[in-house]
Amino acid sequence: MSRGILALVGNHPNRSKTNRQVDANPTPSEILRAREDAGLTQQQAADLLFSSWRTWQDWERGERRMHPSSWEAFNIKLRARKLLAAGEISPALLRRLGVYLPPLE
């Protein structure tokens, strides 16, 4: 690989710990707060994203960084749950939108 390509990879926004743009990786405290505010266990939160409990735990501990697309999907699903509970959206519409919400156990 040429040095120029390696420099580009090293500067990728998802690898930068200082990048705090809108589409940046969430911090461990943001992930923890969102999950707790939603009243979810780590396993329930992981199930929303089809990830493992261990991966979720690593995100909250800061051992791994959550990708912005996973963060966005998690927030979309949390909002979808609220809309569904309030009767503002139907399960059929969620299916048409391709949003899967596993049942809470």
Side-chain angles (χ1 to χ4, degrees), residues 46-92:
D47 289 346
L48 279 176
L49 296 182
F50 305 102
S51 69
S52 69
W53 162 80
R54 180 59 187 219
T55 297
W56 191 275
Q57 187 180 54
D58 288 348
W59 287 333
E60 285 189 4
R61 288 182 177 173
E63 294 172 14
R64 294 176 67 179
R65 285 182 284 170
M66 180 187 270
H67 192 277
S69 63
S70 296
W71 179 240
E72 182 177 27
F74 181 65
N75 282 290
I76 287 169
K77 289 185 172 195
L78 290 181
R79 289 185 186 104
R81 279 195 183 280
K82 287 181 183 179
L83 292 171
L84 191 59
E88 296 180 37
I89 194 169
S90 69

Side-chain angles (χ1 to χ4, degrees), residues 31-48:
I31 297 167
L32 173 65
R33 186 173 44 251
R35 178 184 62 80
E36 288 179 339
D37 287 350
L40 299 174
T41 66
Q42 287 180 329
Q43 185 62 60
Q44 290 168 329
D47 289 346
L48 279 176

